[in-house]
Amino acid sequence: MATHAPSPRSALAELLDEQTRLTLDDLARACCMERGWVTERLEAGLLHGEHAEGRWQFSATTVVRARRLARLESTFDADPQLAGLTTDLIEEVTALRQRLRQLEALLGR
């Protein structure tokens, strides 16, 4: 039986807390992509951030999502929309597994 990582975050996201805010350039560097790649995913609704005073800011969770999108696109030559759907499904499964672990802990299993 396959084992799964206990946390939905990558090592990078664990180093950053949810209060940390990254710029568009920071996010692009974190996923080894160009600024234009990030901007295209923002416009397509595949990535989300806060836009204030002419600057984008992103959370650690967005870093994890962006890196996952980039990895799926490059590894499988996936269309951005397909990579986005796959990422949504991975995030949903991760959240459900976490809830299941919490319920099992409450039930003493």
Side-chain angles (χ1 to χ4, degrees):
M1 185 157 121
T3 59
H4 300 281
S7 173
R9 297 179 176 182
S10 72
L12 176 61
E14 289 177 4
L15 293 174
L16 303 171
D17 61 30
E18 283 305 309
Q19 304 308 315
T20 301
R21 295 290 178 233
L22 289 88
T23 66
L24 192 137
D25 288 328
D26 293 335
L27 181 60
R29 274 192 301 275
C31 56
C32 302
M33 302 303 276
E34 300 290 327
R35 283 176 55 103
W37 181 91
V38 174
T39 303
E40 289 172 9
R41 273 67 189 166
L42 284 167
E43 291 170 357
L46 300 173
L47 291 174
H48 302 285
E50 296 174 19
H51 193 259
E53 300 177 14
R55 292 180 43 138
W56 282 100
Q57 293 186 339
F58 303 96
S59 69
T61 303
T62 304
V63 174
V64 173
R65 183 173 175 83
R67 292 181 80 178
R68 184 172 284 138
L69 284 170
R71 188 172 47 250
L72 287 167
E73 288 179 29
S74 65
T75 302
F76 299 105
D77 196 27
D79 171 87
Q81 294 297 328
L82 178 59
L85 175 62
T86 304
T87 298
D88 289 344
L89 293 172
I90 291 169
E91 291 169 351
E92 183 69 19
V93 167
T94 300
L96 290 170
R97 285 183 177 145
Q98 183 177 17
R99 287 183 65 193
L100 179 60
R101 281 192 301 275
Q102 290 170 344
L103 287 171
E104 288 174 339
L106 284 173
L107 296 173
R109 293 185 183 178

